[in-house]
Structures are given as C-alpha cells and as structure tokens.
Amino acid sequence: MLRDGQADFVEILIDNFLHVEPEDMATALDGAPVAFHIMHSRFLERTEAQLAFMASRIRTMARELRPFYISDHLLRFTVDGREVPFLPELDYGRTYDLVCQRVTSWQEQLGTPVLFENYPSIFDSGLEQPAFLERLFRETGAGLLFDVSNAVCAHRNCQLPLAAWDTLLERSTHFHVGGYEPSSEAPFVSLDLHGSPLADDTLDYLGRVFSRTSTAATISVERDNHVELEPWRADILAVRARWEQHA
C-alpha cells in the first residue's frame, strides 16, 4: 500500500518492537514516515523503574525513526490487583489526581507530549470521559488521539453524544478508525475489535469529524483481526473518499 500510494505512513505498535534494533527498523521501513502507538505501557500501574526502562528504549527508537507523534492509552489492566480478560475504563470520578500525576511523569520520561486515545465506553460512567480528558489535557499539555470508531461505540453503548467531543476535536490532528463488532453474549454491546469493515455510521461520523477540523494531519485505519490486504485497502480508500469530500 505504501508503494502504491494508498498509504502515506506507518503507525507502529512500538512496544511490540522494543527488542528490535532501531537501525534494522529504519532499514525495513525504507524512509516511510512513522508514528509510535503504545498499547501495553501500563503507565498507570507499573513502577517508576519499570517505566524508566521502557521509556529509555522508546526514546532510543525515536531518535532513529523520528515519529511525528507518540500515543498511548488511558485505561486499566487490572482490577484490585487482579489481571482481567478485558481492559476496563477509568473511574473518572475517583482517579483524576493519580492520572494527572502519572501522565505528567510519563511524558517527562518519554521526553515529549503524549497523545492519549479515547476509550470505547460501555457503561454510563463513560459519559464523564470528554470532560475528564479536556481537564487532563489542559493541565498536563497532553493531547488527544481521537479514535472515531471508539466514539461511535461509546455512542451506541451508553448514548454518549457524538457532539460531546466537538471541543476536543477542534484541537485534534491525529485520528484512528476501525471496525467494531457486537459482543457474543447479552447484554449486547459494540466492541472495538478492528476486525470488520468500517461501518456506515462510523464513515458518516468520520465525515463530520473531517468537516470540523481543518488541521487533520493523519488517520490510521486499524486492522488487528482478519488482516487481509483487500478488505484493509477498501477501508483505506473509503476513508480517503470521505476526506476528499471535505478537503
């Protein structure tokens, strides 16, 4: 897709590649622009020593590959110290001070502002997410990596209005989008699984997102499951078509 001009850059899930020499990564990417996305930093839960080691490695990779952003996730990996088979959303009403302190420290260790991805809320507590993020970004200098399909999932699951993101969207320049699927058991909810074609409501909202921002820089079309060239290419072309309508 890079050779054919259908993709313009590569977003690397960088924690999958920390064992690889950065020079080898640069050779494999052959000059393609890159961004770094972090999935399992677990920066809200790890010790400072663990984070310092990871941050050092990411900084080494960044010096060689020069990503135009580094992004991460605001979520939990454990509940009361126990590993769980899903990644729970933050308790926005009780965790602000901890999250603010940890975000500040993590950015200092990485040596750069970090973009944080919005969560595909399931429960009504997710209604607090936009206001929480607005305050957090204002007080820490962090930013939003706006996941369009996560916002659609939150709208479908807990009726979080899509308009609730408008203020944050005005300052957002980097985006994600992917397919969602219904859960396999009741109560049925929409899950951001990145394994299906982009849904019509996602594409419709994507058009609205593009119409609200004149500074969009990148959008990553995600595929984590059923990673096959033609369906993925079709999603990218659909996103390009929506962008061209508003360019």
Side-chain angles (χ1 to χ4, degrees), residues 152-174:
V152 170
C153 285
H155 178 63
R156 293 170 62 89
N157 293 334
C158 63
Q159 289 72 59
L160 174 60
L162 295 174
W165 298 104
D166 285 354
T167 300
L168 284 162
L169 279 178
E170 291 172 359
R171 299 189 297 272
S172 299
T173 57
H174 299 291

Side-chain angles (χ1 to χ4, degrees), residues 126-202:
L127 297 170
E128 302 175 50
Q129 183 181 184
F132 181 96
L133 295 181
E134 285 185 39
R135 179 186 176 193
L136 179 70
F137 298 158
R138 184 172 62 250
E139 296 183 3
T140 64
L144 176 66
L145 176 67
F146 187 64
D147 191 305
V148 175
S149 42
N150 283 4
V152 170
C153 285
H155 178 63
R156 293 170 62 89
N157 293 334
C158 63
Q159 289 72 59
L160 174 60
L162 295 174
W165 298 104
D166 285 354
T167 300
L168 284 162
L169 279 178
E170 291 172 359
R171 299 189 297 272
S172 299
T173 57
H174 299 291
F175 301 88
H176 275 184
V177 69
Y180 64 79
E181 299 172 30
S183 58
S184 58
E185 298 180 359
F188 296 106
V189 294
S190 297
L191 301 176
D192 183 50
L193 297 179
H194 305 161
S196 301
L198 297 180
D200 289 342
D201 56 356
T202 299

Side-chain angles (χ1 to χ4, degrees), residues 2 15 22 45 51 64 88 109 117-118 123-125 142 161 187 237:
L2 285 166
D15 34 336
E45 300 173 342
L51 291 174
E64 179 69 31
Q109 292 195 46
E117 181 177 326
N118 52 302
F123 303 110
D124 288 348
S125 57
L237 293 176

Side-chain angles (χ1 to χ4, degrees), residues 27-156:
T27 298
L29 290 163
D30 192 26
V34 302
F36 286 179
H37 194 48
I38 307 169
M39 184 65 233
H40 286 94
S41 70
R42 300 172 64 150
F43 76 97
L44 295 174
E45 300 173 342
R46 291 191 195 273
T47 66
E48 289 296 318
Q50 290 171 324
L51 291 174
F53 176 80
M54 180 178 286
S56 174
R57 188 61 182 165
I58 292 173
R59 290 197 309 271
T60 298
M61 303 290 279
R63 282 194 294 271
E64 179 69 31
L65 298 176
R66 300 187 180 279
F68 44 84
Y69 66 77
I70 296 177
S71 57
D72 204 332
H73 292 79
L74 285 169
L75 44 74
R76 296 179 293 156
F77 289 80
T78 59
V79 175
D80 295 331
R82 297 190 181 96
E83 298 283 346
V84 291
F86 62 96
L87 302 178
E89 189 167 11
L90 298 179
D91 182 344
Y92 298 113
R94 299 175 58 187
T95 59
Y96 182 80
D97 290 343
L98 170 65
V99 173
C100 185
Q101 182 272 322
R102 284 284 182 155
V103 164
T104 299
S105 175
W106 188 222
Q107 291 185 128
E108 289 172 351
Q109 292 195 46
L110 290 171
T112 184
V114 176
L115 305 181
F116 290 95
E117 181 177 326
N118 52 302
Y119 187 92
S121 303
I122 294 174
F123 303 110
D124 288 348
S125 57
L127 297 170
E128 302 175 50
Q129 183 181 184
F132 181 96
L133 295 181
E134 285 185 39
R135 179 186 176 193
L136 179 70
F137 298 158
R138 184 172 62 250
E139 296 183 3
T140 64
L144 176 66
L145 176 67
F146 187 64
D147 191 305
V148 175
S149 42
N150 283 4
V152 170
C153 285
H155 178 63
R156 293 170 62 89

Side-chain angles (χ1 to χ4, degrees), residues 171-237:
R171 299 189 297 272
S172 299
T173 57
H174 299 291
F175 301 88
H176 275 184
V177 69
Y180 64 79
E181 299 172 30
S183 58
S184 58
E185 298 180 359
F188 296 106
V189 294
S190 297
L191 301 176
D192 183 50
L193 297 179
H194 305 161
S196 301
L198 297 180
D200 289 342
D201 56 356
T202 299
L203 288 169
D204 289 343
Y205 181 48
L206 184 62
R208 175 178 165 185
V209 168
F210 287 155
S211 71
R212 291 196 63 84
T213 177
S214 60
T215 57
T218 68
I219 182 162
S220 296
V221 182
E222 299 181 285
R223 273 276 174 156
D224 294 343
N225 302 302
H226 308 297
V227 183
E228 299 157 352
L229 179 59
E230 291 308 320
W232 199 0
R233 192 198 312 266
D235 280 347
I236 290 175
L237 293 176

